[in-house]
Amino acid sequence: MSRRYFDLKSRPVDADQKRLGRRTVLKGATALAGVAVGSGAITGFPTIWAQNIKSVTLRQFGTGVSAYNDIAVKAKQDLGFTVELSALDSDAVVQRAVTQPKSYDVVDAEYWMLPKVVPSGNLQPMDTKKIKLFDKIVPIFTKGELGGGKKIATQGTAPIKVSYVTGKDSKTFSKTPTQWFNLVPTIYNADTLGIRPDLVSEPITQWKQLLDPKYKGKASILNISSIGIMDAAMVCESLGEIKYGDKGNMTKAELDKTMKVLTDAKKSGQFRAFWKTFDESINLMASGEVVIQSMWSPAVAAVRAKGIPCTYVPLKEGYRAWAGGLGLSRALSGLALDAAYEYVNWYLAGWAGGFLNRQGYYSAVLDTAKQNMSADEWGFWMEGKAAQGDIKDPFGKVMEKAGSKRDGGSFEERMGAVACWNAVMDENRYMVQKWNEFVAA
Amino acid sequence: MVRAWLQAAPLALVVAAFLVVPIATLAVVSVWDYTEYDLIPDFVLTNYADVFGSWVTYATYASTVRFAALTWLVTLAIGFWIAYFLAFHVRSKTWQMVLFLVCTIPFLTSNVIRSISWIPVLGRNGLVNSALLHLRVIDQPLEFLLFSDFSTVLSYVHLYALFMVVPIFNTMMRIDRALIEAAVDAGASGWQVVRDVVIPLSKPGIAIGSIFVVTLVMGDFSTVRLMSGGQSASVGLMISNQLAYLQYPAAAANAMVLLAVVLAIVAGMMRVVDIRKEL
């Protein structure tokens, strides 16, 4: 009963989608190919294959950060089949991934959701052998390192902790690489504090400055508990108030202490407002209501695009990182499954990577993304070099003027300074309760 | 007899379908159990225990009731005098209607837009602060103007003052002018006329307006979030958060409690003023 209650988009059997079993398709195709070869038309097999796959529609849903219609349109052009995108907020993505595996084919999830989703068995791990560019995927996801043997922080739900399962039908994460991979990364990045350099006179170098009384009534923090709590942890650690065992998996006592620091700050009037949506964070900053707050990289770019100075400051304690990727529904099989693999392979092939990189995100396979960016764009976004000409986003809007440099520098500098990842903790329910108390306080 | 039943049937059906059934559903779901992703039909009282056992509930109700009381006081003061002016000082019927329509103009835009439009006015670099700074009345921008209790109540008053004006104006228009003449002839001063004639005879309008304003503020969740910058809680916001985490039974239990509280407040008002008798 309750399952159906949440089933927003359940469909009966996809009669119209012609989800033929793989074997039927192959049999038919082979027979036809035989005829085709016999008649001298050697291209017969791929044509028929392509005709079949065109009837496939992949239903993808996710958090919306990477749900660009441009990607769906380009995929349709290149692959022939349709990808339907829909966007939900993070909590709703988790619920749906867990409760309605038949309502989607591809999920664009964040890595921190996996400890909730994978144990439900509703995700089908991908065969790494079918992912053509698997070896080229940034090793953060495949080996748990930055590349060149450099390690990356593992506090919180670091991707490597949840990237692999032990077998095709397994629900257990594997600490070491296997052939079965949960999510093929789409975008990821490193978050930090955004400031208004024209209204903040001193250099901002540490997380604890968010709670500096100088910015009383001019600071903000996000009111999304699983991300806000990590920012709060970075602040508390920087203040020296708390030493965490693992910030990404706090104990009840650690949660209590962290929330006390935040609550005290709130009561003393440190915060001007809390923000919940991307747009709110832009407006708070652009209007000057807030001069220092936790922000997302594209929001900083949006403030700057209004001609208002805004800096995404690299901090001594490092960044809070996040990552999202594509996963396959357990219900996917046959032709649709093949189409999904083709889609994932297409995603890694470069066009999508270039498209996402040019907005300040990082994409999964950097080599192919590079081929889809100009040398200047690559230098600016990935290498931390000064822009030669104006840097435009994929829609042609100028994001950065010539001569500017990306805050925080190159890919290696930024991702190398990651301190923790967005996380779902074992004490999640307690955390949500504490967070609500903080808002009511 | 049958005819009377038939005549009452359409309304009874509408009320049953759109009021009785939803509230009954709410009541049923409020005793269900739930996990992070599932509703479990059951009979448990844990949801109510959570509501009554947490200090957050009391703090939230206190803050919501405070907002409702403040908004009620201000809208009553404003609403009464606007209605009084319209009813007794504007002599021409045409002007009465014109001015009355002017009062409704803010209602041509949505609630949310009317709230958001305060932000550029009240902000640190907003209209009010820049005007006062230029006039040298202040040398620091006033911080309390936005994202505060002040801005929340201001926005409520802006949104709901009309709900006070309309019923009070309506009852005032029914007051027999001969009564006021008689009072003046008997030697009553202007103030005595207002206190002893107009206010008592306007009571039903005041009561109806109060019910509107109080119930609207008690159930609000968008205005308080926007105008307090997400820093104040309200009962409505608490319920909407629970819905976001798919804690439907908890939200239903909270909604039942809110319903009971609001009904109690309304019942209290009805005790003070018998609307039906005096209307």
Side-chain angles (χ1 to χ4, degrees):
Chain A
M1 140 76 223
S2 51
R3 292 268 154 109
R4 184 165 299 163
Y5 192 82
F6 293 134
D7 203 343
L8 306 167
K9 211 181 161 187
S10 80
R11 294 189 187 183
V13 183
D14 294 302
D16 58 334
Q17 288 192 340
K18 299 208 178 70
R19 288 218 184 137
L20 309 170
R22 183 178 165 81
R23 192 177 291 168
T24 337
V25 173
L26 287 180
K27 230 199 285 179
T30 322
L32 285 166
V35 175
V37 170
S39 66
I42 303 160
T43 51
F45 177 78
T47 314
I48 289 160
W49 174 247
Q51 286 305 328
N52 268 324
I53 213 162
K54 271 185 187 166
S55 63
V56 170
T57 299
L58 288 180
R59 295 160 301 158
Q60 176 185 331
F61 83 107
T63 43
V65 199
S66 59
Y68 289 99
N69 209 33
D70 306 73
I71 291 179
V73 170
K74 182 71 178 167
K76 169 94 182 166
Q77 255 174 35
D78 289 356
L79 299 169
F81 53 82
T82 307
V83 182
E84 278 177 12
L85 300 179
S86 53
L88 298 168
D89 64 72
S90 311
D91 296 318
V93 168
V94 178
Q95 324 296 4
R96 187 155 161 197
V98 172
T99 57
Q100 308 154 49
K102 287 188 180 133
S103 76
Y104 62 92
D105 303 311
V106 177
V107 56
D108 177 8
E110 283 178 50
Y111 276 81
W112 63 261
M113 298 173 184
L114 290 180
K116 291 180 167 192
V117 178
V118 169
S120 73
N122 289 335
L123 222 53
Q124 154 165 215
M126 279 174 258
D127 185 343
T128 55
K129 289 188 178 144
K130 289 195 193 169
I131 302 169
K132 285 180 206 144
L133 295 170
F134 185 79
D135 295 335
K136 301 249 174 161
I137 292 178
V138 174
I140 294 172
F141 300 92
T142 53
K143 299 190 186 107
E145 57 185 50
L146 196 60
K150 269 185 261 167
K151 289 283 169 204
I152 190 157
T154 53
Q155 289 208 354
T157 311
I160 192 63
K161 289 187 188 165
V162 292
S163 273
Y164 297 97
V165 283
T166 50
K168 191 176 192 309
D169 298 310
S170 165
K171 300 176 189 177
T172 322
F173 294 116
S174 165
K175 288 202 174 87
T176 49
T178 65
Q179 195 188 334
W180 305 102
F181 200 59
N182 285 319
L183 285 189
V184 166
T186 49
I187 53 180
Y188 51 98
N189 219 300
D191 287 353
T192 180
L193 296 177
I195 60 159
R196 282 279 300 266
D198 53 333
L199 301 175
V200 172
S201 48
E202 57 173 356
I204 298 294
T205 55
Q206 288 190 280
W207 280 89
K208 68 179 179 190
Q209 286 171 285
L210 182 68
L211 295 189
D212 189 328
K214 265 185 223 156
Y215 309 115
K216 192 174 160 188
K218 294 180 180 175
S220 176
I221 196 167
L222 40 19
N223 185 9
I224 299 174
S225 55
S226 55
I227 307 174
I229 190 73
M230 297 311 295
D231 284 341
M234 294 299 284
V235 170
C236 290
E237 211 173 42
S238 164
L239 281 169
E241 298 259 337
I242 306 170
K243 273 246 173 281
Y244 295 98
D246 177 356
K247 284 189 286 296
N249 200 8
M250 297 185 201
T251 60
K252 280 190 177 180
E254 285 170 341
L255 281 168
D256 285 343
K257 278 194 231 162
T258 310
M259 295 317 292
K260 185 172 182 308
V261 172
L262 274 194
T263 308
D264 289 347
K266 184 189 170 190
K267 284 191 172 154
S268 72
Q270 183 69 13
F271 302 112
R272 183 65 167 153
F274 298 143
W275 62 269
K276 207 158 195 175
T277 67
F278 188 71
D279 298 346
E280 282 173 340
S281 73
I282 297 170
N283 290 336
L284 285 172
M285 207 64 165
S287 65
E289 295 298 334
V290 165
V291 301
I292 181 168
Q293 66 175 349
S294 54
M295 266 179 117
W296 296 342
S297 169
V300 174
V303 174
R304 274 209 280 243
K306 295 182 181 209
I308 296 165
C310 184
T311 314
Y312 210 34
V313 284
L315 302 171
K316 200 179 109 193
E317 296 86 2
Y319 295 88
R320 172 183 52 72
W322 56 273
L326 300 175
L328 307 184
S329 163
R330 180 69 76 181
L332 210 52
S333 65
L335 190 58
L337 180 59
D338 292 334
Y341 271 110
E342 276 204 39
Y343 174 58
V344 167
N345 278 320
W346 172 84
Y347 219 103
L348 300 179
W351 186 88
F355 179 86
L356 295 165
N357 274 20
R358 277 183 286 145
Q359 297 179 67
Y361 297 115
Y362 295 136
S363 60
V365 179
L366 298 177
D367 298 353
T368 57
K370 188 176 182 177
Q371 292 157 16
N372 283 270
M373 296 166 79
S374 72
D376 191 25
E377 284 170 340
W378 179 261
F380 176 81
W381 290 116
M382 301 302 294
E383 295 177 328
K385 290 183 184 160
Q388 308 287 311
D390 283 353
I391 296 292
K392 292 177 182 160
D393 71 5
F395 314 104
K397 198 166 147 191
V398 175
M399 289 182 91
E400 299 288 347
K401 294 263 186 275
S404 54
K405 279 188 185 177
R406 181 168 192 168
D407 295 333
S410 68
F411 176 83
E412 284 78 14
E413 285 174 86
R414 295 185 78 244
M415 290 311 288
V418 163
C420 64
W421 295 81
N422 284 353
V424 165
M425 309 182 185
D426 297 339
E427 296 291 352
N428 187 45
R429 208 160 160 169
Y430 184 74
M431 194 272 280
V432 169
Q433 184 196 332
K434 284 279 141 191
W435 192 268
N436 284 339
E437 288 176 9
F438 162 61
V439 172
Chain B
M1 187 60 194
V2 176
R3 208 186 212 184
W5 282 107
L6 281 177
Q7 279 176 337
L11 182 64
L13 285 176
V14 169
V15 169
F18 295 107
L19 188 71
V20 179
V21 172
I23 290 180
T25 313
L26 214 55
V28 169
V29 174
S30 73
V31 294
W32 283 13
D33 201 359
Y34 64 98
T35 66
E36 253 175 288
Y37 312 112
D38 250 344
L39 294 181
I40 304 155
D42 199 348
F43 184 85
V44 293
L45 293 174
T46 46
N47 300 316
Y48 287 97
D50 287 347
V51 171
F52 291 110
S54 158
W55 66 265
V56 176
T57 310
Y58 300 102
T60 309
Y61 268 90
S63 123
T64 310
V65 168
R66 198 168 60 95
F67 280 137
L70 284 171
T71 310
W72 176 75
L73 272 176
V74 181
T75 52
L76 178 62
I78 294 175
F80 181 84
W81 291 113
I82 290 178
Y84 182 81
F85 175 79
L86 284 177
F88 295 111
H89 282 266
V90 181
R91 298 297 165 119
S92 127
K93 283 262 179 252
T94 324
W95 275 109
Q96 260 174 357
M97 282 326 290
V98 169
L99 290 175
F100 183 72
L101 287 176
V102 167
C103 290
T104 64
I105 284 178
F107 283 73
L108 302 179
T109 55
S110 88
N111 259 10
V112 175
I113 289 174
R114 270 179 288 155
S115 296
I116 290 178
S117 58
W118 280 109
I119 293 174
V121 177
L122 300 176
R124 182 174 288 131
N125 305 308
L127 288 177
V128 174
N129 270 325
S130 7
L132 291 176
L133 282 172
H134 278 292
L135 294 172
R136 298 184 190 282
V137 178
I138 51 172
D139 50 6
Q140 282 290 315
L142 300 173
E143 300 279 329
F144 76 89
L145 288 177
L146 187 60
F147 299 135
S148 59
D149 290 354
F150 171 80
S151 58
T152 310
V153 172
L154 181 73
S155 183
Y156 279 138
V157 169
H158 177 210
L159 291 174
Y160 302 138
L162 187 72
F163 290 98
M164 212 43 127
V165 175
V166 175
I168 299 180
F169 175 65
N170 192 33
T171 44
M172 280 182 179
M173 291 302 282
R174 291 154 184 252
I175 295 175
D176 190 344
R177 296 304 191 262
L179 293 173
I180 293 170
E181 267 174 48
V184 173
D185 288 348
S189 68
W191 171 242
Q192 281 174 318
V193 171
V194 171
R195 197 188 62 193
D196 297 329
V197 180
V198 177
I199 291 182
L201 291 173
S202 305
K203 265 201 211 156
I206 294 173
I208 293 170
S210 304
I211 290 172
F212 276 138
V213 170
V214 169
T215 51
L216 283 168
V217 175
M218 290 296 291
D220 169 77
F221 66 95
S222 58
T223 306
V224 70
R225 196 178 89 74
L226 284 171
M227 299 311 293
S228 76
Q231 298 207 73
S232 283
S234 83
V235 182
L237 202 56
M238 188 158 73
I239 294 173
S240 115
N241 281 340
Q242 283 166 334
L243 291 178
Y245 290 112
L246 287 193
Q247 302 174 337
Y248 284 103
N254 242 318
M256 293 307 288
V257 174
L258 177 62
L259 187 65
V261 169
V262 172
L263 284 178
I265 295 176
V266 171
M269 288 180 181
M270 304 282 245
R271 281 222 129 170
V272 178
V273 182
D274 185 346
I275 294 176
R276 263 195 276 178
K277 196 178 111 201
E278 296 184 36
L279 203 61

